Amino acid sequence: MKKEQQYFETGTLIAQYMDEMSTLQDNSYRVYNGFELPNDEEFFNKLKAANPHVLVITEDWCGDAMINNAVLRKIAEKAEIEVRCVLRDENIELMDQYLTNGGRAIPIYIFLSEEGEVIGQWGPRAPELQSYVMKQRESLPPKEDENFDAAQTEMYLNIGEENASNDQFWNWVYNSQKEALLKSI
């Protein structure tokens, strides 16, 4: 079985990954271009000194990945750390080592030391965003209801638009990623 470092070495740089997205690219760049990093030099300096690598398990159709990857890319560029992406559906063996509540939720960020050892992880969603999504799900009709599928589709479209446009969401993601990165280095 391949180790995380081997996946990292063959992964796609996050900038290239975003440039090659076929789904949700516009929204991902809305976040990337709209999000301004806070003045947090102490964090960026610690991150730069520790120089972790980040392996991202992702897919470009995922709304959570769309927001989270854009924020992570901003952090990585500021701290000059390398982030590489692999696709979940092409790397099930890796994905199945990082399940969320038994599911293949993405994105998952695996933090690696310079030597390639796993030192932490994050994902798939900031806690505040998880609460927001759970609250939205409460408004859905029962699964047996004939309107469930349409209501769920509309809910996900609304969440996607919020992810792409709500700077409070972006800050929640930033703070959650920052906390996880600091714990790992």
Side-chain angles (χ1 to χ4, degrees):
M1 186 164 78
K2 285 170 59 174
K3 290 202 158 278
E4 288 84 352
Q5 180 64 25
Q6 292 169 298
Y7 287 98
F8 178 82
E9 290 167 0
T10 60
T12 303
L13 290 170
I14 195 164
Q16 180 182 350
Y17 167 81
M18 285 178 64
D19 286 345
E20 295 174 354
M21 290 174 72
S22 60
T23 309
L24 298 181
Q25 183 185 54
D26 290 345
N27 281 345
S28 193
Y29 273 103
R30 277 175 66 191
V31 176
Y32 177 75
N33 292 324
F35 178 63
E36 293 187 29
L37 289 168
N39 185 5
D40 210 347
E41 294 308 310
E42 183 180 349
F43 165 57
F44 297 120
N45 289 335
K46 282 182 181 178
L47 199 54
K48 188 174 184 176
N51 194 32
H53 298 151
V54 183
L55 173 62
V56 179
I57 306 171
T58 191
E59 289 285 346
D60 71 357
W61 46 257
C62 175
D64 290 317
M66 177 269 301
I67 182 176
N68 296 334
N69 290 346
V71 172
L72 177 68
R73 179 177 171 188
K74 292 283 259 207
I75 293 170
E77 288 172 349
K78 178 74 175 175
E80 299 176 17
I81 62 171
E82 194 168 340
V83 177
R84 293 183 172 263
C85 302
V86 296
L87 300 178
R88 178 193 78 174
D89 296 344
E90 294 176 8
N91 297 281
I92 296 299
E93 187 175 271
L94 174 65
M95 180 70 247
D96 285 351
Q97 295 177 63
Y98 292 92
L99 299 177
T100 302
N101 299 323
R104 293 178 175 153
I106 53 175
I108 296 294
Y109 299 161
I110 305 165
F111 306 136
L112 305 170
S113 68
E114 288 185 86
E115 298 75 32
E117 296 300 316
V118 175
I119 55 174
Q121 73 180 68
W122 183 89
R125 195 180 276 146
E128 298 90 345
L129 278 175
Q130 179 65 17
S131 294
Y132 169 79
V133 169
M134 297 309 290
K135 185 166 179 57
Q136 297 303 307
R137 286 184 182 156
E138 289 174 5
S139 67
L140 291 174
K143 285 187 177 184
E144 305 78 38
D145 189 304
E146 64 183 32
N147 298 314
F148 176 81
D149 288 339
Q152 181 175 258
T153 298
E154 183 177 345
M155 178 196 75
Y156 283 127
L157 286 172
N158 291 337
I159 290 171
E161 178 55 31
E162 282 291 311
N163 283 349
S165 62
N166 188 328
D167 62 350
Q168 178 62 58
F169 285 17
W170 307 344
N171 286 304
W172 288 339
V173 169
Y174 170 81
N175 288 325
S176 183
Q177 290 178 359
K178 173 186 171 182
E179 181 181 331
L181 281 160
L182 286 172
K183 284 182 184 176
S184 70
I185 55 174

